[in-house]
Each structure stands twice: as C-alpha cells, then as structure tokens.
C-alpha cells in the first residue's frame, strides 16, 4: 500500500489537523475546539467560555460565530496567533515571587556595557547603555578613568577605545533605567579614578539620579538578608569598594585602596599572545608595583547593599563575608571553582551575590557560555551584549521569562540550604522528564546570499551537564518557503528548571560547513505543549517574521 505523502505547506498541515477534529463536519463546534485544547494543546484550565472566546477572537464568518463554531480560516488564524506560540504568554508578564532576597535571582548583566565593538579599538557609545537597558539588563558596567577638566571618562583603559563622559552615562541611565523594567539597576563601577574625581563621580550620581539613587539602607526588616527586587523597585544601586567603618580600623579609615576587580583576578585569567601584545606596552611593571586607587569617602558612602570584596575561598566567605558584600571573578577562575567544588559554589550563591565576567584574553569581546555559571546559581553572569552568538541567545532566552524584567527566580534546588546540589552529577535522584519534539516544517525562511536555501533544524538542550545535548533534522534541498522535516526527537531532562531549549535553522553550505539562518531560545518551563509555532530571530536578536517553525511538543 502506497504511503500518503505528508502535507507540504503550513496551511495544508493545519488543514489536516482541522479535518481530523471536525470528523467530516463543515465547521468546528466549540465543544470540539475545547477537546482539542484539553487533549492536544494541554490547556487544562480551558473551559467552554475559553473556546467561545477564541471563536469570537479569530472567527470572522458571522454564521459560524452565531453557531459558536469555527471555520478552517478561523482555526488557521488561531493556530498562527500568539495563543499557539511555543512560548507561554503568561510568562510574558512578571509572574514569579519578587519578594525573595536579591541573591535568589538570576540578574541580567552586561560586561563593558559602554562598548559597541571590540576591547582594543572599539567605539564607546551611550547607545550601548540604551540598548542593554532596552533588553532588560539590570547590571551595567562603567569603567571610570580620570578625564580632563576634572570630568571622569568611561572607556576600556590602556587601549584605543574611544571615551565618553561619566556624567553623560549617568544621565542616560537615569533616562532609560526603568522604561522596560521597574526592578533595581546595579551600576558596577570599575573605578580607576583619583579620589578627587571620585568625588565628582559621587556628585554626578547624586545630582543626576536624584531619588532613584539608593543612598541609605531601606527601613525594612531583612533578617540579615539582602532586600528583594520589590523592596528596591525604581532604585539604582552602586556596586563598588567601600571604606571600612571607623570602628573596624581607625588607622585605615578613609585610606583603603582599590584595585580593580579585573586586575585582582588577572593571575587567574590565561594570558594570550593578543592580550600581551596590546596590553604590555601600557601595563609596565609588576602587579606589586602598580599603584592602587584610594577610595573616596563620598563615593564609598553611596555603596549600600553591593559592596565589592575580593574572593579568597568559599570557606573564607562563609566565615567572613557579610550579606551586603559581593565578589567578582573571571570566567577561568569561576570554571576552576565549578569543576573543583560545585556544591560549595551553589551554597555560596545562596547567601551572596557573585559576578562572573569574560576573560581578559577575549579582546574581540567574545563571550563564554553562561549556562555553566547559572548552574551553580551565580546571579550576575556578565556578557558582552554587543556580541551576537550562542551565549547571547541563551541570555536573551533566559531573561525573556518573567516578563523580561531582568530578574528570574532561581530554581528551588539553587535556593534551598537544606540539601546539597552538584550540577556536575549525572543523576539527581528524581525521575527525569521525557521530552518529545517533532519538528514538522518551516515557513518563509530567509534566503541565503546564494539565492537558495538547503535548511535543517538543530534543537539543543542547554542545562546541567547530564541534560545538555542536541539533535538535527535531515536537510531539505532548495526550499526556503515551506521545508518539511517531520522529524521526531527525544530528550531526557533531569533538572528542567535550569534548561533552555534552542531551535536553530542552519544551511548546509558545504560538506562540513554550516551557515546560520535563524534561532529561537526559551526556558523549558516556558514551553507550551501541543502544536506550536516557533518565531525565528536573526543573529542580532531581531524578529525574522514571518519566518517560523511548526512543531509539536509533548513531555511527561
């Protein structure tokens, strides 16, 4: 018996589903639509009113509406609407508990925020801060250096990157900080200024930010914990070194000296020939001889809940670090700690904020994979927002959750001090979730420079080591309009709360060469079941609408 050829277009595929639901009737009654919502789309809270509401919204044929039924054209509009998007639309608004301490959240964080290009000759621009804030970024980095006429400047020190005024950066932050999210912004200062220009910095922060600037501890009970995102709504926090209280050290009060976080951690970053070539002419002399910057009291006073301290060890932090102190470390040092003592890293991040930043050797502003450090609960996993690619796709996917507000509540396994969690384990004592995806087809994919497209789809699971894997469809020859794959994929997921699912469309351009076409990344916990369409984004993160994938999703 000859096998029926599968429908070749998206419309034909949806029509096939519609015909199966109508069982020969000319229209789809509300009760049958409700059955589809319950048994296929797994919209378990849907009721008769839900089905009738969908008919009212997507059906335009008056007779069908009067009969509370849906024609195929109405059903097609419904399936191609946001109601059938793979991303759970209820997660497009803030829905998580925002009253936990700050250290219980992943916080969208940027590294060298001022740069629009590389770290050697790239351009510094205020637009880079606007762009980061528009993407929900809540932790911005500002590299501050002495400027002419007692006006501090922002740029990547010891390089040929251009300079912008510190006061202009703060003015930009004041204007755009809360346009996308009401939750707190952290300004991470990489402070190289002399005490006199630090005083100018403090004056600009106070005069420009006004009431937005947090200048004193909140009058709320914290029980020795950091305040919550809700407590700090519409507030801007300064992250910097802070002078010790007079009661601690009378001799050093007002004289504590500051070495930048990246200089402190320089020994832990692997030197590259490129870094040595461009940095050594300026950075003459050993670290021991390099003069540290004294912290000005006026700037120190503005550091409330985000005091930067040097990381020594997890045991030292446990015994000595205060709840309002945070540490920063380069990716190489963080990776070594992850490999050596993952559970200790997780416990550290249950109590304190930790910031991870790219290695100094990444002079072209490339990024590391942030998933490794989310797996141990690091909150401020800072990336170069100007550099597209897999790391930024994962970051954008992670933080589109919870309304895109820049704060995502960490999974319970990363917040609970009652049990140990090791993200390197292969088994976690829980029954894994079985995810079954079927990549059915694509639609209106962008054509490559060659004028044709041989597309295939790669589905990646990014999570703990045991969960991370990927699977590819076959390649369809010369079809960008409606490629059909009908490819089933199976995944086993142990820690779904940490997982991201990434769909990427690629083109075979040679025997082993592949070219990026589009992608979409979302948290596993935000993925809807049933027949769904997947929007596609460009390498830079812009919509490629109407390009999309059509898939079916099931997990148990």
């Amino acid at each position: 018996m000859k096998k029926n050829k599968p429908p070749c277009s998206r419309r034909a595929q949806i029509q096939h589903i519609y015909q199966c639901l109508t069982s020969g009737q000319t229209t789809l009654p509300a009760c049958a639509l409700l059955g589809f919502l319950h048994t296929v789309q797994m919209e378990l809270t849907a009721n008769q009113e839900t089905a009738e509401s969908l008919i009212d919204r997507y059906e335009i044929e008056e007779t069908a509406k009067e009969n509370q039924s849906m024609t195929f054209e109405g059903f097609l509009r419904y399936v191609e609407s946001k109601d059938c998007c793979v991303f759970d639309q209820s997660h497009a608004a803030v829905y998580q508990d925002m009253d936990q301490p700050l250290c219980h959240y992943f916080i969208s964080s940027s590294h060298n925020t001022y740069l629009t290009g590389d770290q050697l000759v790239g351009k510094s621009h205020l637009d880079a801060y606007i762009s980061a804030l528009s993407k929900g970024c809540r932790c911005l980095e500002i590299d501050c250096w002495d400027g002419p006429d007692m006006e501090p400047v922002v740029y990547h020190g010891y390089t040929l990157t251009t300079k912008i005024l510190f006061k202009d950066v703060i003015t930009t932050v004041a204007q755009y900080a809360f346009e996308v999210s009401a939750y707190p912004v952290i300004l991470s200062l990489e402070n190289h200024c002399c005490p006199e220009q630090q005083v100018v910095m403090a004056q600009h922060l106070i005069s420009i930010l006004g009431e937005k600037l947090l200048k004193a501890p909140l009058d709320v009970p914290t029980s020795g914990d950091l305040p919550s995102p809700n407590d700090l709504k519409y507030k801007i926090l300064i992250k910097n070194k802070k002078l010790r209280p007079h009661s601690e050290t009378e001799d050093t009060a007002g004289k504590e000296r500051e070495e930048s976080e990246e200089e402190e951690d320089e020994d832990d970053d692997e030197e590259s020939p490129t870094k040595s070539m461009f940095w050594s002419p300026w950075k003459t002399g050993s670290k021991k001889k390099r003069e540290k910057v004294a912290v000005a009291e006026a700037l120190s006073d503005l550091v409330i809940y985000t005091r930067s301290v040097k990381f020594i060890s997890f045991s030292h932090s446990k015994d000595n670090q205060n709840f309002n102190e945070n540490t920063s470390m380069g990716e190489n040092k963080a990776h070594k700690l992850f490999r050596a003592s993952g559970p200790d890293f997780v416990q550290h991040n249950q109590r304190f904020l930790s910031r991870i930043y790219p290695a100094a050797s990444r002079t072209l502003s490339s990024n590391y994979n942030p998933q490794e450090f989310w797996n141990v609960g690091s909150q401020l996993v800072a990336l170069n927002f100007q550099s597209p690619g897999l790391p930024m796709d994962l970051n954008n996917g992670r933080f589109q959750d919870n309304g895109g507000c820049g704060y995502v509540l960490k999974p319970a396994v990363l917040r609970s001090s009652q049990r140990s969690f090791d993200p390197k384990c292969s088994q976690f004592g829980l029954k894994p979730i079985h995810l079954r995806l079927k990549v059915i087809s694509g639609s209106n994919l962008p054509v490559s420079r060659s004028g044709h497209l041989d597309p295939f789809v790669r589905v990646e699971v990014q999570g703990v080591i045991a969960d991370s894997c990927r699977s590819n469809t076959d390649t369809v020859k010369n079809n960008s309009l409606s490629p059909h794959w009908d490819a089933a994929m199976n995944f086993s997921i142990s820690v779904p709360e940490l997982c991201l699912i990434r769909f990427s469309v690629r083109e075979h351009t040679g025997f082993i060469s592949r070219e990026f076409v589009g992608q979409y990344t979302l948290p596993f916990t935000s993925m809807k079941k049933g027949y769904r369409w997947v929007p596609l984004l460009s390498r830079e993160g812009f919509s490629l609408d109407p390009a999309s994938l059509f898939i079916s999703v099931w997990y148990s």
Side-chain angles (χ1 to χ4, degrees):
M1 182 176 172
K2 188 176 179 180
K3 186 177 179 181
N4 290 331
K5 187 177 180 180
C8 59
S9 70
R10 171 81 58 85
R11 182 184 178 90
Q13 291 152 7
I14 297 173
Q15 190 160 31
H16 178 71
I17 297 169
Y18 180 80
Q19 289 170 346
C20 291
L21 294 173
T22 54
S23 301
Q25 299 182 61
T26 55
T27 59
L28 182 68
C31 59
L33 177 59
L34 181 59
F36 172 72
L37 295 175
H38 281 166
T39 61
V40 179
Q41 303 297 80
M42 299 308 293
E43 305 279 4
L44 301 181
T45 60
N47 53 27
Q48 186 72 15
E49 186 178 335
T50 307
E52 293 173 0
S53 173
L54 292 175
I55 292 171
D56 288 339
R57 198 179 316 160
Y58 297 111
E59 183 55 63
I60 60 174
E61 212 279 311
E62 287 300 326
T63 303
K65 289 179 76 170
E66 290 172 5
N67 294 328
Q68 287 299 310
S69 62
M70 189 176 266
T71 63
F72 167 68
E73 295 298 332
F75 186 74
L76 178 65
R77 279 188 287 272
Y78 158 64
V79 172
E80 294 192 327
S81 73
K82 280 194 172 183
D83 282 313
C84 280
C85 179
V86 69
F87 180 74
D88 188 339
Q89 294 304 300
S90 69
H91 292 187
V94 175
Y95 69 96
Q96 295 177 346
D97 178 5
M98 302 303 285
D99 291 313
Q100 302 270 338
L102 280 184
C103 55
H104 285 185
Y105 297 84
F106 296 128
I107 303 172
S108 181
S109 304
S110 166
H111 176 249
N112 289 348
T113 312
Y114 49 89
L115 285 178
T116 59
D118 67 64
Q119 300 179 37
L120 299 175
V121 296
K123 188 176 182 180
S124 304
H125 205 287
L126 298 175
D127 285 350
Y129 286 95
I130 298 172
S131 175
L133 288 168
S134 72
K135 294 174 182 175
C137 184
R138 299 285 88 188
C139 182
L140 310 171
E141 186 175 34
I142 309 176
D143 283 13
C144 312
W145 297 80
D146 290 338
D149 304 319
M150 286 296 290
E151 280 295 347
V153 294
V154 176
Y155 83 115
H156 201 244
Y158 310 115
T159 69
L160 300 178
T161 56
T162 60
K163 301 173 182 178
I164 53 180
L165 292 176
F166 176 80
K167 66 179 180 181
D168 290 345
V169 171
I170 302 307
T171 300
T172 301
V173 171
Q175 182 176 353
Y176 293 95
F178 302 111
E179 286 203 348
V180 168
S181 170
Y183 294 102
V185 169
I186 300 170
L187 299 184
S188 181
L189 303 184
E190 186 77 14
N191 181 12
H192 302 269
C193 291
C194 67
E196 293 77 17
Q197 293 214 19
Q198 288 183 52
V199 172
V200 176
M201 288 168 57
Q203 291 169 348
H204 287 327
L205 289 166
I206 293 169
S207 63
I208 296 172
L209 297 180
E211 290 302 310
K212 297 185 181 81
L213 179 64
L214 186 72
K215 297 187 284 287
L218 299 175
D219 187 21
V220 294
T222 60
S223 304
D225 290 323
L226 287 167
S228 71
N230 269 341
D231 293 331
L232 294 165
K233 264 187 171 181
Y234 300 108
K235 288 297 181 184
I236 296 175
L237 285 66
I238 305 303
K239 176 181 171 296
N240 192 65
K241 298 288 177 68
K242 185 176 178 68
L243 296 174
R244 298 178 184 278
H246 288 274
S247 58
E248 285 187 29
T249 60
E250 290 293 338
D251 293 336
T252 60
K255 298 181 182 178
E256 182 167 317
R257 295 186 175 271
E258 176 168 334
E259 187 174 29
S260 78
E261 292 169 348
E262 297 196 18
E263 286 170 349
E264 284 180 347
D265 211 31
E266 216 169 63
D267 287 341
D268 300 297
D269 279 332
E270 297 171 6
E271 289 283 340
S272 71
T274 306
K275 182 185 172 188
S276 300
M277 182 189 306
F278 284 92
W279 285 53
S280 57
W282 291 281
K283 291 195 172 181
T284 56
S286 68
K287 282 182 67 183
K288 292 180 180 178
K289 293 180 181 179
R290 188 183 302 141
E291 185 177 350
K292 297 181 182 180
V293 177
V295 182
E297 186 172 358
L299 187 59
S300 172
D301 288 344
L302 301 181
V303 179
I304 309 302
Y305 293 117
T306 43
R307 176 188 181 184
S308 298
V309 297
K310 184 172 182 177
F311 177 82
I312 297 173
S313 69
F314 292 130
S315 59
H316 181 273
S317 293
K318 184 176 181 180
D319 294 337
N320 298 280
Q321 191 170 333
N322 294 317
F323 75 96
N324 60 347
E325 295 175 334
N326 61 85
T327 56
S328 292
M329 65 185 76
E331 60 173 291
N332 294 323
K333 182 174 183 175
H335 176 72
K336 291 174 185 175
L337 290 170
F338 167 79
R339 300 298 297 179
S341 46
D344 292 336
F345 213 156
V346 171
Q347 290 179 359
H348 175 85
N349 289 324
Q350 289 170 355
R351 299 175 59 198
F352 310 114
L353 290 175
S354 69
R355 178 176 176 268
I356 315 296
Y357 57 85
S361 56
R362 294 184 181 274
T363 52
L364 297 181
S365 297
S366 61
N367 284 312
Y368 54 82
N369 188 322
Q371 185 67 48
E372 176 179 10
F373 305 117
W374 288 329
N375 288 345
V376 292
S378 292
Q379 302 86 356
L380 305 168
V381 181
L383 298 177
N384 292 299
F385 271 45
Q386 76 274 29
S387 301
L390 172 67
M392 277 306 299
D393 292 344
L394 300 180
N395 197 75
N396 293 336
R398 173 76 63 198
F399 289 105
Q400 74 169 313
D401 195 8
N402 203 31
C405 74
Y407 285 80
V408 172
L409 188 64
K410 295 196 293 188
V413 292
L414 295 178
R415 291 182 279 122
S416 172
S417 58
Q418 302 303 311
R419 56 176 176 163
S420 176
F421 176 74
D422 186 354
K424 300 192 305 297
C425 279
S426 58
Q427 294 184 340
F428 295 90
L430 300 172
K431 187 177 180 181
I433 287 177
H434 175 230
L435 169 64
R436 188 176 193 274
L437 288 174
K438 180 178 278 191
V439 179
I440 301 171
S441 65
S443 178
N444 297 295
L445 304 181
V447 177
S448 65
R449 290 188 295 270
S450 63
H452 72 281
L453 192 72
D454 297 338
F456 70 96
V457 178
R458 172 173 294 165
V459 179
E460 300 170 71
V461 177
Q462 294 272 346
V464 296
I465 294 173
D467 291 345
S468 298
C469 58
R470 69 187 190 188
S471 183
N472 296 341
T473 68
D474 292 332
T475 300
V476 172
K477 292 291 185 181
N478 196 21
N479 191 338
S480 64
L481 187 63
S482 57
H484 187 270
W485 295 284
D486 207 36
M489 303 175 180
N490 293 279
F491 304 95
S492 182
I493 298 176
S494 303
V495 190
E497 300 87 353
L498 277 170
C499 273
L500 295 170
I501 308 297
R502 182 175 186 256
F503 299 87
S504 61
V505 179
R506 297 166 180 263
E507 180 188 20
H508 269 288
T509 55
F511 183 67
I512 60 172
S513 58
R514 312 284 186 268
E515 190 168 304
F516 176 89
V517 177
Q519 71 84 35
Y520 185 73
T521 306
L522 77 164
F524 172 82
T525 53
S526 296
M527 189 163 61
K528 300 280 280 184
K529 292 180 179 179
Y531 287 104
R532 303 290 170 179
W533 62 274
V534 180
L536 291 176
L537 306 177
S538 69
R539 187 181 298 276
E540 293 74 26
F542 300 116
S543 172
L544 292 174
D545 185 62
S548 63
L549 301 175
F550 190 49
I551 66 171
S552 70
V553 181
W554 178 260
Y555 50 86
S556 60

